[in-house]
Amino acid sequence: VQLVESGGGLVQAGGSLRLSCTASGFTFDDYAIGWFRQAPGKLREGVSCFVADDGATYYANSVKGRFTISSDNTKNTVYLQMNNLEPNDTAVYYCAVTNNYYTDWEPLGDYEYDYWGQGTQVTVSS
């Protein structure tokens, strides 16, 4: 199982980036895919989640209306489209997957996830 994130970079406030999370060694079909971020000196926080088998999506309140999670099964890739970026969005962004989700699980809880990518830096300048 390998996850590779890409698409990070430096952008001005109000700009957009699209992050990609590409999987190898498995397919997303039976997995939930989460995006998380960690800013310096802060705890890692859940940003968004996509559940492949039913298409359910989840977002942190801080990104609702600005970020959109989607998938391309042909490329085994999940995307995080980030619009109207703010300096507070600056962080290392990670994708993670689990196939152990269950009723009443926490889609944005990092403890729910089993495999993680290496992260990609997003920096938003004011």
Side-chain angles (χ1 to χ4, degrees), residues 11-17 66 81-86 124:
V11 64
Q12 289 187 331
S16 299
L17 286 172
R66 300 188 298 123
Q81 177 67 43
M82 306 186 297
N83 297 329
N84 195 21
L85 283 160
E86 304 168 353
V124 184

Side-chain angles (χ1 to χ4, degrees), residues 37-77:
R37 65 187 182 186
Q38 187 166 22
K42 295 187 177 181
L43 296 174
R44 185 164 55 192
E45 65 169 334
V47 174
S48 184
C49 168
F50 173 78
V51 182
D53 66 358
D54 64 3
T57 58
Y58 304 86
Y59 296 95
N61 288 335
S62 59
V63 306
K64 278 181 183 177
R66 300 188 298 123
F67 291 11
T68 303
I69 193 169
S70 63
S71 72
D72 184 338
N73 291 340
T74 65
K75 297 181 179 179
N76 216 27
T77 298

Side-chain angles (χ1 to χ4, degrees), residues 89-122:
D89 295 318
T90 295
V92 178
Y93 283 70
Y94 301 89
C95 67
V97 297
T98 181
N99 64 351
N100 292 319
Y101 53 93
Y102 47 89
T103 304
D104 296 329
W105 76 303
E106 177 46 67
L108 300 182
D110 59 356
Y111 54 88
E112 299 279 14
Y113 291 78
D114 303 310
Y115 302 101
W116 292 78
Q118 83 289 349
T120 186
Q121 176 71 47
V122 171

Side-chain angles (χ1 to χ4, degrees), residues 19-34:
L19 305 183
S20 301
C21 173
T22 301
S24 59
F26 71 103
T27 61
F28 283 141
D29 294 352
D30 298 318
Y31 283 78
I33 305 92

